[in-house]
Each structure stands twice: as C-alpha cells, then as structure tokens.
Amino acid sequence: MDYNLLYNEISRPQYAGMIDAEIVTALNTLSEPTRQRVTVKRLQEVAYQSGVDTALNAVVLDTSKPTTLRALCQTV
C-alpha cells in the first residue's frame, strides 16, 4: 500500500470532519465511471512511469512464454 497516496487522498476537503469509518466507506464506494479521450503520448508516459512498459517487454523477450501472449504484449 502506498501510504503517501492514501494520505494525499484523505487530506482532500471532501473528507474533512469524517471519522475513520466514514472515510473507509467513502473510499470503498465506487464512483461513476468516466470516459475521456487519452492521447497515445499520455498512455506511453504512464506505461513508462508505472513500469508496465518494462514488464511487457520482459514477456516479449521471454521465449518460454506462449507465442500468443508474447504477441499480445508486443501489440500492447
């Protein structure tokens, strides 16, 4: 768990004055899904920052993995 991320989230004004149980309930409540256009550049930035790109490339290069999985990872 990333405690800094959690701290930053519960420090937002919407949680002010709530007790712990109320914060937990609010955090566990699913929000309405939103859709938006995302540029390829932004997808690449997030993939690099989060390590997804490295993980996908590792699978692509691992010849012990099924060919279809390697192809999928290459496509992604």
Side-chain angles (χ1 to χ4, degrees), residues 15 21-31:
Y15 302 105
E22 292 170 328
I23 293 173
V24 169
T25 300
L27 289 172
N28 287 328
T29 301
L30 297 177
S31 60

Side-chain angles (χ1 to χ4, degrees), residues 14-76:
Q14 67 204 51
Y15 302 105
M18 289 185 175
I19 62 171
D20 290 350
E22 292 170 328
I23 293 173
V24 169
T25 300
L27 289 172
N28 287 328
T29 301
L30 297 177
S31 60
E32 282 293 315
T34 57
R35 297 182 73 175
Q36 60 183 335
R37 290 191 179 274
V38 180
T39 64
V40 171
K41 179 182 177 197
R42 181 66 182 136
L43 288 173
Q44 288 173 330
E45 288 172 355
V46 172
Y48 293 134
Q49 291 170 355
S50 64
V52 170
D53 182 65
T54 303
L56 290 170
N57 286 329
V59 173
V60 170
L61 297 173
D62 187 348
T63 57
S64 70
K65 301 293 184 203
T67 305
T68 52
L69 176 61
R70 293 173 61 208
L72 175 64
C73 289
Q74 180 66 49
T75 302
V76 172

